[in-house]
Amino acid sequence: MAFSSRFSRLAIASQLLFALFVPIPFAFGQSSDFDWETLTAHENLTWTSCYDGFQCSLLKVPLDYSADKGNASIAVVRLPATAPKFEYLGPILFNPGGPGGSGVSTIVSIGSQFAQFLGPQFDIVGFDPRGVSFSKPAVSFFKTAAERQSWTPPDLDSRYPSINASSGVIPQVWGQFQLIGQLAQERDTDDVLQHITTDNVARDMLRITQAFGFEKLQYWGVSYGSLLGATFATLFPDNVGRIAIDGIMDWEAWYSANLTDSILDTDETLQTFFDGCVAAGPSACAFYAPTASQIAANLASLTGSILAQPFPVKTAISHGIIDYTWFRNYIFASLYSPYNAFSSFAQGLAQLAAGNATGVYTANQTPDFECDCKTEDAGKPFTNNIYESLIATSCGDGAVVSDSISDLRAFYEREATLSSFADIWGLWRIHCSGWKVHRPGRFQGPVGANTSFPLLIIGNTADPVTPIAWAKKAAALFPKSVLLTQDSPGHTSLVAPSSCTHGALRAYFQNGTFPAPNTVCDVDGAELFPSTNSNSGNARRSLNKGGDNQLLEAVRAIGDVVRPIAAMGRSWVV
């Protein structure tokens, strides 16, 4: 296992590759300015000034909470509260999802916006879960960046191979993950991987909270972070201060390694593109047709033509092929952030339908996030990256998957009866089919408890990967918890600011109050297809004059950074 005092270039680029439709203000340059190797891990939080206005510490925790097998060091960063001491309300921990998302880099990027949104009474705290980024030991299956490049196909990190692109996809991907599973097991000489699990991260969060001098956790988690929050609330129900979870990952799906129901609402999310395009008209939606069914048919026709004959593209600086897998991922990625993506997505579809692939390819080209093997970095020890953290956590958490190729074909066929996007989503099952490392006795549910304070649970009406049914299920598992529904497509409430949703979230942390039961919130000033006479641009919408603009602008900035991380397994998410 390798650890580095700076972000690996791969880890940075793997997060940046999600941001290809619009620029996203990650402050990774700032994060590389602090050398975490200068810190020593302690059992208490020993703060050192870092970055610009932040404080950093390494917290020593047990690697194995059931036996003495050494320690892990959890990287923790805080933006200290600025309110008077008598108003101080303690730390709020945030997890941006993934798994594999760096809480440190997230808070360093937008800690001031978190403080503006949640209030000056709180320490705004980010931490890197065990196995991630600045925490150590960090997960890496490869000794050097050059070795990693030789092992992994160019698209393995950034795109899901479309299972129905050909009959050979499942066997090929199965074989790749068999090899990666073998390599991970062989390289795990320090017996680390079995401890990179969600239940252990939950235990680490309790240690962080206690190191701040509190017994009850205050926490906000999105996407995978919702599962982490629900797991904590189950393991430590008497230590819940405030837990808000958003974009709910179902415990039963996650811990069984069967995410089939994750795509319950995916086709409904795509339908909002068809319906929104019709409503916007040809001036705002470049892929316009008079009816939603005609737009759907035109998209199906374009998909079929690309399957039959892909677009080869050569630019002045690069080349590639827009093939069926590329195009299916292009469609799927747009569903994560419709308010930012749909307008550009429609323009791209129109260009492809007209036979012009260069513009779409250039605008959405995955960055070269592998090492430049001619540089001095090529032979350096390779540190953690998002892909490996995601595999280690998701497969290490879940049930043992020993599916054969025929089993995986049958799994895909069952999934395809639920959604037209089963060809993309089926990789979640395949990538665990070769995983060999599991800790006996790890937590795998059930989730649910009568907690010391009720949870706030948030779900969108048309979320492409965490359906509203999962939010309703979670609310039933935690008595007295409150479900807040945001009436919007996209993944998590951070797809667009809402004075209703995010005002309720702020009040929950500040005052311990809840929205009324069955509250459904609209978003503020967000359009799927902004009109051509709007000068706000695709990624920026004018806010409702009646809303709390300071709150909403802070939420918007948070969403710009968190959306790509919450969708860690996806390319092109904005």
Side-chain angles (χ1 to χ4, degrees):
M1 297 298 155
F3 175 75
S4 173
S5 61
R6 59 179 177 81
F7 277 113
S8 71
R9 291 189 303 153
L10 177 59
I12 297 172
S14 295
Q15 295 195 41
L16 287 175
L17 68 87
F18 298 105
L20 298 178
F21 286 124
V22 294
I24 291 179
F26 291 97
F28 289 124
Q30 294 177 357
S31 296
S32 64
D33 293 339
F34 181 71
D35 185 358
W36 284 83
E37 290 285 5
T38 63
L39 301 185
T40 301
H42 299 279
E43 292 182 356
N44 57 347
L45 290 169
T46 304
W47 296 110
T48 297
S49 296
C50 58
Y51 308 119
D52 185 9
F54 293 85
Q55 296 176 337
C56 293
S57 182
L58 287 175
L59 183 67
K60 183 187 294 185
V61 300
L63 180 65
D64 184 344
Y65 278 90
S66 64
D68 184 7
K69 294 185 178 180
N71 299 302
S73 299
I74 306 302
V76 183
V77 65
R78 74 169 173 178
L79 183 65
T82 57
K85 188 174 182 179
F86 67 88
E87 295 181 2
Y88 178 61
L89 295 178
I92 295 178
L93 278 62
F94 179 76
N95 181 276
S102 169
V104 169
S105 64
T106 301
I107 295 305
V108 170
S109 297
I110 48 171
S112 61
Q113 286 85 359
F114 272 93
Q116 186 179 19
F117 168 43
L118 295 172
Q121 311 96 314
F122 301 101
D123 288 330
I124 305 301
V125 179
F127 69 98
D128 286 344
R130 53 175 60 205
V132 173
S133 201
F134 297 124
S135 291
K136 53 183 177 180
V139 173
S140 177
F141 309 156
F142 307 99
K143 292 182 178 179
T144 65
E147 182 187 49
R148 183 180 194 278
Q149 187 172 21
S150 73
W151 267 80
T152 58
D155 289 340
L156 191 57
D157 296 88
S158 59
R159 302 189 185 101
Y160 289 168
S162 176
I163 288 173
N164 63 0
S166 74
S167 60
V169 172
I170 289 178
Q172 181 182 21
V173 177
W174 177 88
Q176 290 169 351
F177 284 106
Q178 294 295 315
L179 290 171
I180 288 172
Q182 292 171 22
L183 183 68
Q185 185 180 36
E186 291 168 3
R187 295 281 170 83
D188 187 31
T189 55
D190 295 329
D191 194 28
V192 167
L193 288 177
Q194 66 168 311
H195 304 295
I196 308 299
T197 54
T198 297
D199 59 340
N200 277 339
V201 178
R203 296 180 178 100
D204 296 341
M205 290 201 299
L206 181 59
R207 290 293 181 101
I208 294 171
T209 299
Q210 291 171 335
F212 270 93
F214 292 81
E215 285 299 321
K216 294 187 177 182
L217 171 72
Q218 299 183 119
Y219 172 81
W220 178 16
V222 301
S223 194
Y224 162 79
S226 72
L227 177 87
L228 177 57
T231 299
F232 180 96
T234 301
L235 294 175
F236 307 108
D238 295 330
N239 297 95
V240 173
R242 306 281 190 273
I243 291 182
I245 52 178
D246 183 353
I248 307 304
M249 170 56 64
D250 179 59
W251 75 267
E252 195 168 8
W254 183 265
Y255 288 119
S256 67
N258 183 351
L259 299 186
T260 295
D261 284 352
S262 185
I263 50 177
L264 276 169
D265 291 343
T266 313
D267 290 278
E268 181 179 348
T269 314
L270 180 59
Q271 187 64 41
T272 67
F273 172 78
F274 302 143
D275 295 338
C277 184
V278 172
S283 63
C285 179
F287 201 60
Y288 173 82
T291 67
S293 60
Q294 285 178 277
I295 299 173
N298 292 343
L299 179 60
S301 177
L302 180 58
T303 302
S305 68
I306 291 174
L307 176 62
Q309 182 173 309
F311 288 97
V313 181
K314 184 178 182 298
T315 71
I317 59 172
S318 65
H319 65 276
I321 297 175
I322 295 180
D323 59 9
Y324 183 77
T325 280
W326 192 103
F327 189 63
R328 289 291 290 161
N329 277 264
Y330 181 51
I331 297 170
F332 193 38
S334 74
L335 306 181
Y336 277 79
S337 188
Y339 296 99
N340 278 41
F342 274 4
S343 183
S344 297
F345 175 56
Q347 293 171 12
L349 294 180
Q351 291 172 8
L352 290 170
N356 175 13
T358 303
V360 177
Y361 178 81
T362 302
N364 300 291
Q365 183 180 2
T366 302
D368 180 11
F369 56 85
E370 304 294 353
C371 91
D372 176 356
C373 294
K374 295 180 181 179
T375 71
E376 61 180 359
D377 288 342
K380 290 183 177 180
F382 187 72
T383 187
N384 165 74
N385 77 88
I386 294 163
Y387 157 72
E388 284 143 278
S389 297
L390 184 150
I391 297 294
T393 305
S394 61
C395 298
D397 275 350
V400 176
V401 178
S402 56
D403 293 356
S404 66
I405 292 172
S406 61
D407 292 332
L408 292 169
R409 290 193 192 280
F411 183 88
Y412 160 68
E413 290 169 1
R414 290 192 299 272
E415 202 167 58
T417 65
L418 189 67
S419 171
S420 64
F421 288 94
D423 65 311
I424 298 297
W425 203 244
L427 184 68
W428 278 97
R429 182 75 173 188
I430 301 174
H431 77 202
C432 290
S433 62
W435 192 253
K436 312 295 184 185
V437 184
H438 298 89
R439 188 182 84 246
R442 66 194 180 281
F443 177 80
Q444 293 186 289
V447 161
N450 189 5
T451 56
S452 53
F453 196 84
L455 279 61
L456 178 62
I457 297 170
I458 303 172
N460 290 4
T461 51
D463 189 310
V465 292
T466 53
I468 190 63
W470 282 359
K472 294 176 180 178
K473 178 179 176 180
L477 294 172
F478 292 96
K480 299 182 181 179
S481 64
V482 173
L483 171 64
L484 187 154
T485 301
Q486 181 166 293
D487 188 14
S488 68
H491 185 40
T492 84
S493 73
L494 291 172
V495 294
S498 165
S499 55
C500 174
T501 301
H502 301 112
L505 181 60
R506 180 167 64 176
Y508 173 74
F509 281 109
Q510 289 187 347
N511 309 316
T513 56
F514 291 89
N518 304 315
T519 294
V520 179
C521 292
D522 294 326
V523 297
D524 285 63
E527 302 174 78
L528 292 175
F529 296 91
S531 59
T532 54
N533 60 6
S534 169
N535 59 11
S536 62
N538 189 42
R540 292 288 178 264
R541 316 284 183 255
S542 59
L543 300 176
N544 290 345
K545 293 182 179 179
D548 183 339
N549 281 1
Q550 188 179 44
L551 176 150
L552 296 175
E553 290 294 354
V555 170
R556 173 176 286 158
I558 293 168
D560 281 349
V561 170
V562 172
R563 281 194 307 270
I565 304 172
M568 196 62 69
R570 304 295 314 122
S571 68
W572 307 334
V573 177
V574 296

